[in-house]
Amino acid sequence: MILNEEQQAMLDGKYGEGAAYAMKIQVGIGECFDAPRMVPITRAHVALSNQAGDLWFAEKLLNAGAKCRIPPTVNPGFCIGHFTGSCAHPVSEEDAEHMRRTNAAYRGLGAVLSYNCTPYIASNVPNFGEVCAFSESSATPYVNSVWGARSNRESANSALCAAVTGYVPEYGLLLDENRKGNILVHVEANMKSDYEYHLLGMMGAKIGEGIPVFTGLPAHISPEALRNLGAQLNTSGAYGMYHIVGFTPEAPTLEAAFGGKKPQREVVITDKDLKEFEELFSDKAENGKVDFAMFGCPHFTLKETLYIAKQIEGKKLAIPMYILVSSDAAEMARRMGAYDILTAAGAELLSDSCPDQPCWHYLKGKVGITESPKCAYYPRRRGINFMIRDLDTCIEAALTGEVK
Ligand code: F3S
């Protein structure tokens, strides 16, 4: 791998021990993938997890004097103010301290403390062709596929290294030849709402490994649906990119999507596939009763928040409802009065928080309802179970306590 003068100086420690450490890791990654050189990035997103390994790495860089040249946005942990303050079920002092340390480490590194996993929709949006370093399941496919930017499927750690050095090794999805589709996915299912894109994304086992090219999808697809598709593709498999013919920028035609080559595989997805998955993936609720509803994995947008507020305005929820959003969306919901409507109905609008965090300790052993398979998938290891249904069914279940 050939480094330019500045990159070599960074590796040699002339920019400090932290930057040298980050560069050493990136050179190692580059060599694994036969990258010929490093190229500059203009933005990054770090999927911090607030877990022990993540904190260890961030503090190691910080203690070695690293500072982000490209301030990255970061993923959620949990809202420390809420879960140590007004919450009826506060976190343990140990968990609170862990989150405080995560906050201190990323602040020290110079990250943008956004604590949001959908920055590509609002606060960290690349232009077409922009080279960046995005980690997070829904983020990488979104910036590659929808915006036509270029990012490999970074880990939280490699994205943080990129933010520190300002460079990434040039390989994989940064190169034209690796951005062509190789699996043709005929969608015959009725994609009537954003929810079906969650289910379509969970078809990874059927789609197989590669870059899927979807046909048969509606002419208009919402940002929320595209967010759902990417999030679930990386829950059921590992996908850095997809194409939607006639919709995503690098797939104006089928031929362009495949770079003139024939697809290696063809797959058909039907309503039956989606329905079977929904049933198979849902935990059973006794007598159809659920204990809580949770939305926002990935984080809900303002539009979705306003939609729920409209559906439950003037009513009382039978069970708790948690809506996870970015701090921007939460603030806008406050200004617009939706926060008051949600709170009056008994819902909690939370920023900075993710379902896969220790703050939900009090939901252990309970069965929730959500529209997101990813929301159901991760908390299971914490003993929290979920049924998955479309958003309207979930809202209705929160109002009655039962799934119809
Ligand atoms: Fe976001 Fe956490 Fe879900 S990072 S996608 S809310 S698991």
Side-chain angles (χ1 to χ4, degrees), residues 150-228:
R150 296 188 172 209
S151 172
N152 277 311
R153 221 171 141 264
E154 303 285 353
S155 69
N157 299 344
S158 66
L160 182 55
C161 290
V164 168
T165 64
Y167 292 102
V168 284
E170 190 178 38
Y171 70 95
L173 291 173
L174 303 197
L175 304 169
D176 288 347
E177 62 268 29
N178 298 325
R179 296 175 67 83
K180 305 298 176 198
N182 54 358
I183 310 162
L184 181 54
V185 184
H186 303 274
V187 181
E188 292 180 359
N190 180 5
M191 306 301 283
K192 53 187 183 298
S193 73
D194 298 342
Y195 174 63
E196 280 71 30
Y197 291 82
H198 273 310
L199 303 180
L200 177 61
M202 290 304 288
M203 296 293 114
K206 191 163 183 186
I207 293 169
E209 198 182 329
I211 297 185
V213 177
F214 295 100
T215 63
L217 294 178
H220 175 73
I221 308 172
S222 70
E224 289 82 1
L226 295 163
R227 171 204 63 195
N228 296 350

Coordinates of all heavy atoms in Angstrom, one line a residue, residues 150-228:
R150 N -20.1 7.1 -1.5 CA -19.3 5.8 -1.5 C -18.7 5.6 -0.1 O -17.9 6.3 0.4 CB -18.2 6.0 -2.5 CG -18.8 6.1 -3.9 CD -17.8 6.1 -5.0 NE -18.5 6.0 -6.2 CZ -18.1 5.4 -7.3 NH1 -16.9 4.9 -7.4 NH2 -18.9 5.4 -8.4
S151 N -19.2 4.5 0.5 CA -18.7 4.1 1.8 C -18.6 2.5 1.8 O -19.6 1.9 1.4 CB -19.6 4.6 2.9 OG -19.2 4.0 4.2
N152 N -17.6 2.0 2.4 CA -17.6 0.6 2.7 C -18.4 0.4 3.9 O -18.8 1.3 4.6 CB -16.2 0.1 2.9 CG -15.6 -0.2 1.5 OD1 -16.2 -0.9 0.7 ND2 -14.4 0.3 1.3
R153 N -18.7 -0.9 4.2 CA -19.5 -1.2 5.4 C -18.6 -1.2 6.6 O -18.0 -2.2 7.0 CB -20.1 -2.7 5.2 CG -21.5 -2.8 5.6 CD -22.1 -4.1 5.2 NE -22.9 -4.7 6.2 CZ -22.5 -5.5 7.2 NH1 -21.3 -6.0 7.1 NH2 -23.3 -5.9 8.1
E154 N -18.4 0.0 7.1 CA -17.4 0.2 8.2 C -17.9 -0.4 9.5 O -19.1 -0.4 9.7 CB -17.1 1.7 8.4 CG -16.6 2.4 7.1 CD -15.1 2.0 6.8 OE1 -14.5 1.4 7.6 OE2 -14.7 2.5 5.7
S155 N -17.0 -0.8 10.3 CA -17.4 -1.1 11.7 C -17.4 0.3 12.5 O -16.9 1.3 12.0 CB -16.4 -2.0 12.4 OG -15.2 -1.4 12.5
A156 N -17.9 0.2 13.7 CA -17.8 1.5 14.5 C -16.4 1.9 14.7 O -16.0 3.1 14.6 CB -18.5 1.2 15.9
N157 N -15.5 0.9 14.9 CA -14.1 1.2 15.1 C -13.4 1.7 13.9 O -12.6 2.7 14.0 CB -13.4 0.0 15.7 CG -14.0 -0.5 17.0 OD1 -14.7 0.2 17.6 ND2 -13.7 -1.7 17.4
S158 N -13.6 1.1 12.8 CA -12.9 1.5 11.6 C -13.4 2.9 11.1 O -12.7 3.7 10.6 CB -13.0 0.5 10.4 OG -14.3 0.4 10.0
A159 N -14.7 3.2 11.3 CA -15.3 4.5 11.0 C -14.7 5.6 11.9 O -14.4 6.7 11.5 CB -16.8 4.5 11.1
L160 N -14.5 5.2 13.2 CA -13.8 6.1 14.1 C -12.4 6.4 13.7 O -11.9 7.6 13.8 CB -13.9 5.6 15.6 CG -13.4 6.5 16.7 CD1 -14.0 7.9 16.6 CD2 -13.5 5.9 18.0
C161 N -11.7 5.4 13.3 CA -10.3 5.6 12.8 C -10.3 6.5 11.6 O -9.5 7.4 11.5 CB -9.7 4.2 12.4 SG -9.3 3.2 13.8
A162 N -11.3 6.3 10.7 CA -11.4 7.2 9.5 C -11.6 8.6 9.9 O -11.1 9.6 9.3 CB -12.5 6.7 8.6
A163 N -12.5 8.8 10.9 CA -12.8 10.2 11.4 C -11.5 10.8 12.0 O -11.3 12.0 11.8 CB -13.9 10.1 12.4
V164 N -10.7 10.0 12.6 CA -9.5 10.5 13.2 C -8.4 10.9 12.2 O -7.8 12.0 12.2 CB -8.9 9.5 14.3 CG1 -7.5 9.9 14.7 CG2 -9.8 9.4 15.5
T165 N -8.2 10.0 11.2 CA -7.2 10.2 10.2 C -7.7 11.1 9.1 O -6.9 11.7 8.4 CB -6.7 8.9 9.6 OG1 -7.7 8.2 8.9 CG2 -6.1 7.9 10.7
G166 N -9.0 11.0 8.8 CA -9.5 11.8 7.6 C -9.3 11.0 6.3 O -9.6 11.5 5.2
Y167 N -9.0 9.7 6.4 CA -8.8 8.9 5.2 C -9.4 7.5 5.4 O -9.7 7.0 6.5 CB -7.3 8.6 5.0 CG -6.5 9.8 4.6 CD1 -5.7 10.5 5.6 CD2 -6.5 10.3 3.3 CE1 -5.0 11.6 5.3 CE2 -5.8 11.5 3.0 CZ -5.0 12.1 4.0 OH -4.3 13.2 3.6
V168 N -9.7 6.9 4.3 CA -10.1 5.4 4.3 C -9.2 4.7 3.2 O -8.9 5.3 2.2 CB -11.6 5.2 3.9 CG1 -12.4 5.5 5.1 CG2 -12.0 6.0 2.7
P169 N -9.0 3.4 3.4 CA -8.3 2.6 2.3 C -9.3 2.5 1.1 O -10.5 2.3 1.3 CB -8.0 1.3 3.0 CG -8.8 1.2 4.2 CD -9.2 2.6 4.6
E170 N -8.7 2.6 -0.1 CA -9.6 2.5 -1.3 C -9.8 1.1 -1.7 O -8.9 0.5 -2.3 CB -8.9 3.4 -2.4 CG -9.9 3.6 -3.5 CD -9.3 4.5 -4.6 OE1 -8.0 4.3 -4.9 OE2 -10.0 5.2 -5.2
Y171 N -10.9 0.6 -1.5 CA -11.3 -0.8 -1.9 C -12.8 -0.9 -1.9 O -13.5 0.0 -1.6 CB -10.6 -1.9 -1.0 CG -11.3 -1.9 0.4 CD1 -12.3 -2.8 0.7 CD2 -10.9 -1.1 1.4 CE1 -12.9 -2.9 1.9 CE2 -11.5 -1.1 2.7 CZ -12.5 -2.0 2.9 OH -13.1 -2.1 4.1
G172 N -13.3 -2.1 -2.3 CA -14.7 -2.4 -2.2 C -15.6 -1.4 -2.9 O -15.5 -1.1 -4.0
L173 N -16.6 -0.9 -2.1 CA -17.6 -0.1 -2.7 C -17.2 1.3 -3.0 O -17.9 2.1 -3.6 CB -18.8 0.0 -1.7 CG -19.6 -1.3 -1.5 CD1 -20.6 -1.1 -0.4 CD2 -20.3 -1.7 -2.8
L174 N -15.9 1.6 -2.8 CA -15.4 2.9 -3.3 C -15.0 2.9 -4.8 O -14.8 3.9 -5.4 CB -14.1 3.3 -2.5 CG -14.2 3.4 -1.0 CD1 -13.0 4.2 -0.4 CD2 -15.5 4.1 -0.5
L175 N -15.0 1.7 -5.3 CA -14.6 1.5 -6.7 C -15.8 1.1 -7.6 O -16.6 0.3 -7.2 CB -13.6 0.3 -6.8 CG -12.3 0.6 -5.9 CD1 -11.5 -0.7 -5.9 CD2 -11.5 1.7 -6.4
D176 N -15.8 1.8 -8.8 CA -17.0 1.6 -9.7 C -17.3 0.1 -9.9 O -18.5 -0.3 -9.9 CB -16.6 2.2 -11.1 CG -16.6 3.7 -11.1 OD1 -17.1 4.3 -10.1 OD2 -16.1 4.3 -12.0
E177 N -16.3 -0.7 -10.2 CA -16.5 -2.1 -10.6 C -17.2 -2.9 -9.5 O -17.7 -4.0 -9.8 CB -15.2 -2.8 -11.1 CG -14.1 -2.9 -10.0 CD -13.1 -1.7 -10.1 OE1 -13.6 -0.6 -10.4 OE2 -12.0 -1.9 -9.7
N178 N -17.1 -2.5 -8.2 CA -17.7 -3.3 -7.1 C -19.1 -2.8 -6.8 O -19.7 -3.2 -5.8 CB -16.8 -3.2 -5.9 CG -15.4 -3.8 -6.2 OD1 -15.4 -4.8 -7.0 ND2 -14.4 -3.3 -5.6
R179 N -19.6 -1.8 -7.5 CA -20.9 -1.2 -7.1 C -22.0 -1.7 -8.0 O -23.2 -1.2 -8.0 CB -20.8 0.3 -7.2 CG -19.9 0.8 -6.2 CD -19.7 2.3 -6.3 NE -20.9 3.1 -6.0 CZ -21.3 3.4 -4.7 NH1 -20.5 3.1 -3.7 NH2 -22.4 4.1 -4.5
K180 N -21.8 -2.7 -8.9 CA -22.8 -3.3 -9.8 C -23.5 -4.4 -9.1 O -23.0 -5.1 -8.3 CB -22.2 -3.8 -11.0 CG -21.3 -2.8 -11.8 CD -22.1 -1.6 -12.3 CE -21.1 -0.6 -12.9 NZ -21.8 0.7 -13.0
G181 N -24.8 -4.5 -9.4 CA -25.6 -5.6 -8.8 C -25.3 -6.9 -9.4 O -24.7 -7.0 -10.4
N182 N -25.6 -8.0 -8.6 CA -25.4 -9.3 -9.1 C -26.6 -10.3 -8.8 O -26.6 -11.4 -9.2 CB -24.1 -10.0 -8.7 CG -23.9 -9.9 -7.2 OD1 -24.8 -9.4 -6.5 ND2 -22.8 -10.5 -6.7
I183 N -27.6 -9.8 -8.0 CA -28.8 -10.6 -7.8 C -30.0 -9.8 -8.2 O -30.2 -8.7 -7.7 CB -28.9 -10.9 -6.2 CG1 -27.5 -11.4 -5.7 CG2 -30.0 -11.9 -6.0 CD1 -27.5 -11.3 -4.2
L184 N -30.8 -10.4 -9.0 CA -32.0 -9.8 -9.5 C -33.2 -10.2 -8.6 O -33.5 -11.4 -8.4 CB -32.3 -10.2 -10.9 CG -33.6 -9.5 -11.5 CD1 -33.6 -8.0 -11.4 CD2 -33.7 -9.9 -13.0
V185 N -33.8 -9.3 -7.9 CA -34.9 -9.6 -7.0 C -36.2 -9.0 -7.5 O -36.4 -7.8 -7.5 CB -34.6 -9.0 -5.5 CG1 -35.7 -9.4 -4.6 CG2 -33.2 -9.4 -5.0
H186 N -37.1 -9.9 -8.0 CA -38.4 -9.5 -8.5 C -39.3 -9.4 -7.3 O -39.6 -10.5 -6.6 CB -39.0 -10.6 -9.4 CG -38.1 -10.9 -10.6 ND1 -38.1 -10.2 -11.8 CD2 -37.2 -11.9 -10.8 CE1 -37.2 -10.7 -12.6 NE2 -36.7 -11.7 -12.1
V187 N -39.8 -8.2 -7.0 CA -40.7 -8.1 -5.8 C -42.1 -8.2 -6.3 O -42.6 -7.3 -7.0 CB -40.5 -6.8 -5.0 CG1 -41.4 -6.7 -3.8 CG2 -39.0 -6.7 -4.6
E188 N -42.8 -9.3 -6.0 CA -44.2 -9.4 -6.4 C -45.1 -9.1 -5.2 O -46.4 -9.1 -5.4 CB -44.4 -10.9 -6.9 CG -43.7 -11.1 -8.3 CD -43.9 -12.5 -8.8 OE1 -44.6 -13.3 -8.2 OE2 -43.3 -12.7 -9.9
A189 N -44.6 -8.9 -4.1 CA -45.4 -8.6 -2.9 C -46.0 -7.2 -3.0 O -45.5 -6.4 -3.7 CB -44.5 -8.7 -1.6
N190 N -47.1 -7.1 -2.4 CA -47.8 -5.8 -2.4 C -47.1 -4.8 -1.3 O -47.3 -5.0 -0.1 CB -49.3 -6.0 -2.0 CG -50.1 -4.7 -2.0 OD1 -49.5 -3.6 -2.3 ND2 -51.3 -4.8 -1.6
M191 N -46.3 -3.9 -1.8 CA -45.6 -3.0 -0.9 C -46.4 -1.8 -0.5 O -46.2 -0.7 -1.0 CB -44.3 -2.6 -1.6 CG -43.4 -3.8 -2.1 SD -42.9 -4.9 -0.8 CE -41.6 -4.0 0.0
K192 N -47.4 -2.1 0.3 CA -48.4 -1.0 0.5 C -48.1 0.0 1.6 O -48.7 1.0 1.6 CB -49.8 -1.7 0.8 CG -49.8 -2.7 2.0 CD -51.1 -3.4 2.0 CE -51.2 -4.4 3.2 NZ -50.2 -5.5 3.1
S193 N -47.1 -0.3 2.4 CA -46.7 0.7 3.4 C -45.2 0.6 3.7 O -44.6 -0.4 3.2 CB -47.5 0.5 4.7 OG -47.0 -0.7 5.4
D194 N -44.7 1.4 4.5 CA -43.2 1.4 4.9 C -42.9 0.0 5.6 O -41.8 -0.4 5.5 CB -42.9 2.5 5.8 CG -43.0 3.9 5.1 OD1 -43.1 3.9 3.9 OD2 -43.1 4.9 5.9
Y195 N -43.9 -0.6 6.2 CA -43.7 -1.8 7.0 C -43.2 -2.9 6.1 O -42.4 -3.7 6.4 CB -45.0 -2.2 7.6 CG -45.0 -3.5 8.3 CD1 -44.2 -3.8 9.4 CD2 -45.9 -4.5 7.9 CE1 -44.2 -5.0 10.1 CE2 -45.9 -5.8 8.6 CZ -45.0 -6.0 9.6 OH -45.0 -7.2 10.3
E196 N -43.8 -3.0 4.8 CA -43.4 -4.2 4.0 C -41.9 -4.1 3.6 O -41.3 -5.1 3.3 CB -44.2 -4.2 2.7 CG -45.6 -4.8 2.9 CD -46.6 -3.9 3.7 OE1 -46.4 -2.7 3.6 OE2 -47.5 -4.5 4.4
Y197 N -41.3 -2.9 3.7 CA -39.9 -2.8 3.4 C -39.0 -3.4 4.5 O -37.9 -3.9 4.3 CB -39.5 -1.3 3.1 CG -40.1 -0.9 1.8 CD1 -41.4 -0.4 1.7 CD2 -39.4 -0.9 0.6 CE1 -42.0 0.0 0.5 CE2 -40.0 -0.5 -0.6 CZ -41.3 -0.1 -0.6 OH -41.9 0.3 -1.8
H198 N -39.6 -3.3 5.7 CA -38.9 -4.0 6.8 C -38.9 -5.5 6.5 O -37.8 -6.1 6.7 CB -39.8 -3.8 8.1 CG -39.5 -2.6 8.9 ND1 -38.2 -2.2 9.3 CD2 -40.4 -1.7 9.5 CE1 -38.3 -1.2 10.1 NE2 -39.6 -0.8 10.2
L199 N -40.0 -6.0 6.1 CA -40.1 -7.5 5.8 C -39.3 -7.9 4.6 O -38.6 -8.9 4.7 CB -41.6 -7.9 5.6 CG -42.5 -7.5 6.8 CD1 -43.9 -8.0 6.5 CD2 -42.1 -8.1 8.1
L200 N -39.3 -7.0 3.6 CA -38.5 -7.3 2.4 C -37.0 -7.4 2.8 O -36.3 -8.3 2.3 CB -38.7 -6.2 1.4 CG -37.9 -6.3 0.1 CD1 -38.2 -7.6 -0.7 CD2 -38.2 -5.1 -0.8
G201 N -36.6 -6.5 3.7 CA -35.2 -6.5 4.1 C -34.8 -7.7 4.9 O -33.6 -8.1 4.9
M202 N -35.8 -8.4 5.5 CA -35.5 -9.6 6.3 C -35.4 -10.8 5.4 O -35.3 -11.9 5.9 CB -36.5 -9.8 7.4 CG -36.4 -8.7 8.5 SD -34.8 -8.7 9.3 CE -34.8 -10.2 10.2
M203 N -35.4 -10.6 4.1 CA -35.4 -11.8 3.2 C -33.9 -12.1 2.8 O -33.7 -12.8 1.8 CB -36.2 -11.5 1.9 CG -37.7 -11.3 2.1 SD -38.5 -12.8 2.6 CE -39.0 -12.4 4.2
G204 N -33.0 -11.7 3.6 CA -31.6 -12.0 3.3 C -31.2 -13.4 3.0 O -30.5 -13.7 2.1
A205 N -31.8 -14.3 3.7 CA -31.5 -15.8 3.5 C -31.9 -16.2 2.1 O -31.3 -17.0 1.5 CB -32.2 -16.6 4.5
K206 N -33.0 -15.6 1.6 CA -33.5 -16.0 0.3 C -32.7 -15.2 -0.8 O -32.4 -15.8 -1.9 CB -35.0 -15.7 0.2 CG -35.7 -16.2 -1.1 CD -37.2 -16.3 -0.9 CE -37.7 -16.9 -2.2 NZ -39.2 -16.9 -2.3
I207 N -32.4 -14.0 -0.5 CA -31.7 -13.1 -1.5 C -30.3 -13.6 -1.7 O -29.8 -13.7 -2.9 CB -31.8 -11.6 -1.1 CG1 -33.2 -11.1 -1.1 CG2 -30.8 -10.8 -2.0 CD1 -33.4 -9.7 -0.5
G208 N -29.6 -14.0 -0.7 CA -28.2 -14.4 -0.8 C -27.2 -13.3 -0.8 O -27.6 -12.1 -0.7
E209 N -26.0 -13.7 -0.8 CA -24.9 -12.7 -0.7 C -24.6 -11.9 -2.0 O -24.6 -12.5 -3.1 CB -23.6 -13.5 -0.3 CG -22.5 -12.6 0.3 CD -21.3 -13.4 0.6 OE1 -21.4 -14.6 0.9 OE2 -20.2 -12.8 0.5
G210 N -24.4 -10.6 -1.9 CA -24.1 -9.8 -3.1 C -24.8 -8.5 -3.0 O -25.1 -8.0 -1.9
I211 N -25.0 -7.9 -4.2 CA -25.7 -6.6 -4.3 C -27.0 -6.8 -5.0 O -27.1 -7.1 -6.2 CB -24.8 -5.6 -5.0 CG1 -23.5 -5.3 -4.3 CG2 -25.6 -4.3 -5.3 CD1 -22.6 -4.2 -4.8
P212 N -28.1 -6.8 -4.2 CA -29.4 -7.0 -4.8 C -29.9 -5.8 -5.7 O -29.6 -4.7 -5.4 CB -30.4 -7.2 -3.6 CG -29.6 -6.9 -2.4 CD -28.2 -6.5 -2.8
V213 N -30.6 -6.2 -6.8 CA -31.2 -5.2 -7.7 C -32.7 -5.5 -7.6 O -33.2 -6.5 -8.1 CB -30.7 -5.3 -9.1 CG1 -31.4 -4.4 -10.1 CG2 -29.2 -5.1 -9.2
F214 N -33.5 -4.6 -7.0 CA -34.9 -4.8 -6.9 C -35.7 -4.3 -8.1 O -35.4 -3.1 -8.5 CB -35.4 -4.1 -5.6 CG -34.8 -4.7 -4.3 CD1 -33.8 -4.0 -3.7 CD2 -35.3 -5.8 -3.8 CE1 -33.2 -4.5 -2.5 CE2 -34.8 -6.4 -2.6 CZ -33.7 -5.7 -2.0
T215 N -36.6 -5.1 -8.5 CA -37.6 -4.6 -9.5 C -39.0 -4.9 -9.0 O -39.2 -5.7 -8.1 CB -37.5 -5.3 -10.9 OG1 -37.7 -6.7 -10.7 CG2 -36.1 -5.2 -11.5
G216 N -40.0 -4.2 -9.5 CA -41.4 -4.4 -9.1 C -41.8 -3.5 -7.9 O -42.9 -3.7 -7.4
L217 N -40.9 -2.6 -7.5 CA -41.3 -1.8 -6.4 C -42.1 -0.5 -6.9 O -41.9 -0.2 -8.1 CB -40.1 -1.3 -5.6 CG -39.3 -2.4 -4.9 CD1 -38.0 -1.9 -4.2 CD2 -40.2 -3.1 -3.8
P218 N -42.9 0.1 -6.0 CA -43.6 1.3 -6.5 C -42.8 2.4 -7.0 O -41.6 2.5 -6.7 CB -44.4 1.7 -5.2 CG -44.3 0.5 -4.3 CD -43.1 -0.2 -4.6
A219 N -43.4 3.3 -7.7 CA -42.6 4.4 -8.3 C -42.1 5.4 -7.2 O -41.0 6.0 -7.3 CB -43.4 5.2 -9.3
H220 N -43.0 5.6 -6.2 CA -42.5 6.4 -5.1 C -42.2 5.6 -3.8 O -43.1 4.8 -3.5 CB -43.6 7.5 -4.7 CG -43.2 8.3 -3.5 ND1 -42.3 9.2 -3.5 CD2 -43.7 8.2 -2.2 CE1 -42.1 9.7 -2.3 NE2 -42.9 9.1 -1.5
I221 N -41.1 5.8 -3.3 CA -40.7 5.0 -2.1 C -40.2 6.1 -1.0 O -39.4 6.9 -1.4 CB -39.6 4.0 -2.3 CG1 -40.0 3.1 -3.5 CG2 -39.3 3.1 -1.1 CD1 -38.8 2.2 -4.0
S222 N -40.8 6.0 0.2 CA -40.5 7.1 1.1 C -39.1 6.9 1.7 O -38.5 5.8 1.8 CB -41.5 7.0 2.3 OG -41.3 5.9 3.0
P223 N -38.5 7.9 2.3 CA -37.2 7.8 3.0 C -37.3 6.8 4.1 O -36.4 6.0 4.4 CB -36.9 9.2 3.6 CG -37.8 10.1 2.7 CD -38.9 9.3 2.3
E224 N -38.5 6.7 4.8 CA -38.6 5.8 5.9 C -38.6 4.3 5.4 O -38.0 3.5 6.0 CB -40.0 6.1 6.6 CG -40.0 7.4 7.4 CD -40.3 8.6 6.6 OE1 -40.5 8.5 5.4 OE2 -40.3 9.7 7.2
A225 N -39.2 4.1 4.3 CA -39.2 2.7 3.7 C -37.8 2.3 3.3 O -37.4 1.2 3.5 CB -40.2 2.7 2.5
L226 N -37.1 3.3 2.7 CA -35.7 3.0 2.3 C -34.8 2.7 3.5 O -33.9 1.9 3.5 CB -35.1 4.1 1.5 CG -35.9 4.3 0.1 CD1 -35.6 5.6 -0.5 CD2 -35.5 3.2 -0.9
R227 N -35.0 3.5 4.6 CA -34.3 3.3 5.9 C -34.6 1.9 6.4 O -33.7 1.2 6.8 CB -34.8 4.3 6.9 CG -34.4 4.1 8.3 CD -35.4 4.8 9.3 NE -36.7 4.2 9.2 CZ -37.8 4.7 9.7 NH1 -37.8 5.9 10.3 NH2 -39.0 4.1 9.5
N228 N -35.9 1.5 6.3 CA -36.3 0.2 6.8 C -35.6 -1.0 6.0 O -35.1 -1.9 6.6 CB -37.8 0.0 6.8 CG -38.6 1.0 7.7 OD1 -38.0 1.6 8.5 ND2 -39.9 1.0 7.5

